[in-house]
Amino acid sequence: MSRFDPAVFAAIVGEPHVVTDADAARRFLTDWTGRRTGRADAVIRPRSTGEVAAVLTACRGRGIAVVPQGGNTGLVGGSVPADGDRPTIVLSTERMTDVGTPDPVEMCVGVQAGATVAAIEAAATSVGAHFAVDLASRDSATAGGIVATNAGGVHVVRHGGTRAQVLGIEAVLADGSVLRRWNPLRKDNVGYDLPGLLAGSEGTLAVITGVLFALVERPGQTAVAMVAIDSIDEVFALVAAVRTAGLTVEAVELMTKAGVRLVVESGSRPALAGESAFQVLLEVSGAEPAQRLADVLDTVGVADAVVEDGPARALWELREKHTEVIARASATVPVKLDVAIPRRGMGGFVAELDVWAPSEPYPCRPIVFGHAADGNLHVNLLDIPDEEQSAAAELMLAKVVERGGSVSAEHGVGRDKAAWLERVRDSADVAAMRAIKHAWDPEGLLNPGVLFV
Ligand SMILES: Cc1cc2nc3c(=O)[nH]c(=O)nc-3n(C[C@H](O)[C@H](O)[C@H](O)COP(=O)(O)OP(=O)(O)OC[C@H]3O[C@@H](n4cnc5c(N)ncnc54)[C@H](O)[C@@H]3O)c2cc1C
């Protein structure tokens, strides 16, 4: 007999927010890629921290697993439940969207977990500030989701990842108690960094209900260049030249010929007349950035480039449409691997991929793009039959590890890469992580199957 009783949860969040109808629940049970579909007894949509605490208390007493979900844009299968018969709820933060008034002196804003990245940036802009996390999923990805995955995005090269923006946190623990550290202090060394620990915890330690984010100064005038390059190593020489010229590097995004071609075929305007092996998008800030960036590109002898005043949305579109057009262009759901490679090895890795991918044992079309300055590549393998996808992903990740890379740069481990945890971290490291998990969630109710197999 199921331990799930909808009436218990309806009494907490209200009947309309206990979703049990299969059609209404479908969007919460399938991930963004469409590759993972799970099962849950219900989707519960609380409005407040108090309601989340009551929901978790009810789950604990009944042995019901909880899958926290924000915008459901995660790409490693962590935001949807597994397809088993364990009593499970999805806890969606989609009603927890409050954004507080930004504080222009303390340079921070407090938000509920379900506030989107776009909403946080809009609030920051209203006081002349800026939210340092930005990613193409900005209209759906949430505060709780970006903290739980320690999301990267396009400005890591300038400001660091999400963890670096977290000043305070509010979270409900597995036993229903509320942990709250909510102080805009930049310096506070009292005890363990629990907000930092929750960053990257992927819903396995607590349900994040609110985040106090740091804001940064707006970059002022920006310029964006699209530059044709023949080898990835040229990216780092370009970035060094731009910095030497006194410009601030805001973003460095890499694309390949194959990826740009797909985006252009989908209707976007090409930036450059010719086709080069790679294109790199550089965003910089500083005084007279467009002119100075053009001067730097001349000095280093770039043959083909275009420079525009920021925000240069048409140039950014060429990069940001990659995920969407790749999904449409593949005959099967593409294998998507977010990896990091030491900078010196990136060129060799991509060259090897171009040779390996079209050949046996898993012939496919590779399309790579990513946040180049961070050594972060998004490897997409198109047209691989469903039954061969896991083996192809394994082979690819093994090549990443051989090159001293990481199997997860910014998307997290989720369910997709859980089997890799013990292969890339040593036994003491894994034991310490398991001890933390056990201390915070002794009954293993929070996002089972994510991070740990
Ligand atoms: C087009 C596109 C572009 C993207 N670009 C980037 C990029 O540049 N950089 C990048 O890092 N990622 C990127 N992503 C991946 C994704 O957007 C990020 O991982 C994002 O952080 C997920 O946020 P979300 O709110 O959608 O979380 P979900 O997908 O809902 O959840 C992700 C994980 O966080 C957990 N979680 C969510 N909310 C909570 C909460 N309140 N408390 C505890 N755990 C929670 C979930 O259980 C799950 O494990 C992209 C995705 C798409 C579709």
Side-chain angles (χ1 to χ4, degrees):
M1 201 183 78
S2 171
R3 282 164 274 174
F4 177 78
D5 175 1
V8 170
F9 294 93
I12 300 169
V13 297
E15 205 180 315
H17 306 301
V18 178
V19 181
T20 50
D21 174 71
D23 284 341
R26 190 161 295 121
R27 72 186 169 93
F28 300 94
L29 300 177
T30 303
D31 76 346
W32 189 89
T33 66
R35 190 158 33 89
R36 282 194 178 265
T37 301
R39 191 209 64 83
D41 294 278
V43 179
I44 311 287
R45 306 186 312 137
R47 176 70 185 91
S48 67
T49 302
E51 289 183 7
V52 174
V55 167
L56 260 62
T57 303
C59 287
R60 187 189 186 201
R62 293 165 176 79
I64 298 172
V66 178
V67 178
Q69 187 182 96
N72 199 12
T73 66
L75 298 175
V76 288
S79 53
V80 291
D83 192 17
D85 51 13
R86 178 174 185 171
T88 300
I89 62 156
V90 171
L91 190 154
S92 166
T93 59
E94 74 174 6
R95 294 175 63 231
M96 300 178 67
T97 54
D98 292 355
V99 175
T101 306
D103 183 332
V105 176
E106 301 292 351
M107 284 294 274
C108 63
V109 63
V111 301
Q112 273 193 305
T116 63
V117 169
I120 301 167
E121 171 62 1
T125 305
S126 74
V127 292
H130 176 48
F131 181 46
V133 182
D134 193 20
L135 61 185
S137 51
R138 62 181 73 82
D139 292 326
S140 307
T142 62
I146 62 170
V147 173
T149 56
N150 186 27
V154 297
H155 296 312
V156 172
V157 63
R158 170 81 165 100
H159 299 290
T162 301
R163 183 180 286 121
Q165 320 309 324
V166 176
L167 294 175
I169 208 139
E170 183 188 76
V172 178
L173 308 185
D175 65 1
S177 58
V178 179
L179 166 77
R180 189 172 158 93
R181 285 202 193 169
W182 203 264
N183 194 316
L185 293 173
R186 259 52 180 185
K187 293 186 140 187
D188 182 4
N189 261 353
V190 183
Y192 296 137
D193 178 9
L194 300 182
L197 175 63
L198 289 177
S201 61
E202 301 191 44
T204 64
L205 296 181
V207 177
I208 297 162
T209 50
V211 189
L212 183 64
F213 281 118
L215 298 177
V216 296
E217 279 161 30
R218 292 200 75 71
Q221 263 189 299
T222 59
V224 179
M226 189 69 85
V227 186
I229 53 172
D230 294 323
S231 108
I232 293 181
D233 292 340
E234 289 174 51
V235 171
F236 307 109
L238 265 176
V239 169
V242 165
R243 284 189 171 134
T244 306
L247 288 163
T248 301
V249 175
E250 300 284 342
V252 183
E253 297 291 313
L254 181 79
M255 288 152 276
T256 63
K257 192 194 308 188
V260 173
R261 204 179 269 169
L262 272 189
V263 176
V264 169
E265 281 167 8
S266 81
S268 296
R269 172 171 64 86
L272 305 174
E275 275 197 319
S276 52
F278 302 99
Q279 292 190 16
V280 59
L281 180 150
L282 270 174
E283 182 170 289
V284 302
S285 61
E288 298 177 15
Q291 185 56 53
R292 287 165 68 207
L293 182 56
D295 292 345
V296 174
L297 298 177
D298 268 355
T299 312
V300 298
V302 160
D304 191 9
V306 59
V307 179
E308 292 181 7
D309 290 325
R313 300 239 184 267
L315 295 184
W316 268 107
E317 179 182 302
L318 288 166
R319 160 63 181 85
E320 294 206 323
K321 276 176 78 179
H322 267 65
T323 309
E324 180 189 322
V325 297
I326 286 168
R328 283 204 305 263
S330 180
T332 54
V333 173
V335 171
K336 300 180 78 60
L337 300 170
D338 154 56
V339 301
I341 303 278
R343 290 176 191 173
R344 283 195 184 83
M346 286 168 75
F349 173 78
V350 173
E352 187 191 3
L353 179 64
D354 281 339
V355 174
W356 168 77
S359 62
E360 296 297 327
Y362 311 108
C364 58
R365 273 187 296 158
I367 297 187
V368 173
F369 62 94
H371 314 295
D374 313 324
N376 183 184
L377 295 175
H378 297 316
V379 179
N380 297 267
L381 306 176
L382 284 67
D383 306 336
I384 302 189
D386 293 345
E387 62 282 6
E388 291 179 356
Q389 296 209 343
S390 342
E394 285 280 301
L395 193 62
M396 195 67 255
L397 293 176
K399 288 177 186 295
V400 169
V401 173
E402 265 167 39
R403 288 184 174 269
S406 169
V407 297
S408 172
E410 60 173 10
H411 291 169
V413 172
R415 292 176 201 286
D416 289 359
K417 295 175 180 170
W420 278 87
L421 189 81
E422 311 227 357
R423 288 150 76 178
V424 297
R425 299 282 187 232
D426 65 32
S427 54
D429 195 327
V430 173
M433 284 197 265
R434 283 194 185 279
I436 291 170
K437 169 72 178 170
H438 185 72
W440 285 56
D441 179 22
E443 290 161 45
L445 295 178
L446 294 175
N447 231 355
V450 167
L451 208 54
F452 305 100
V453 180

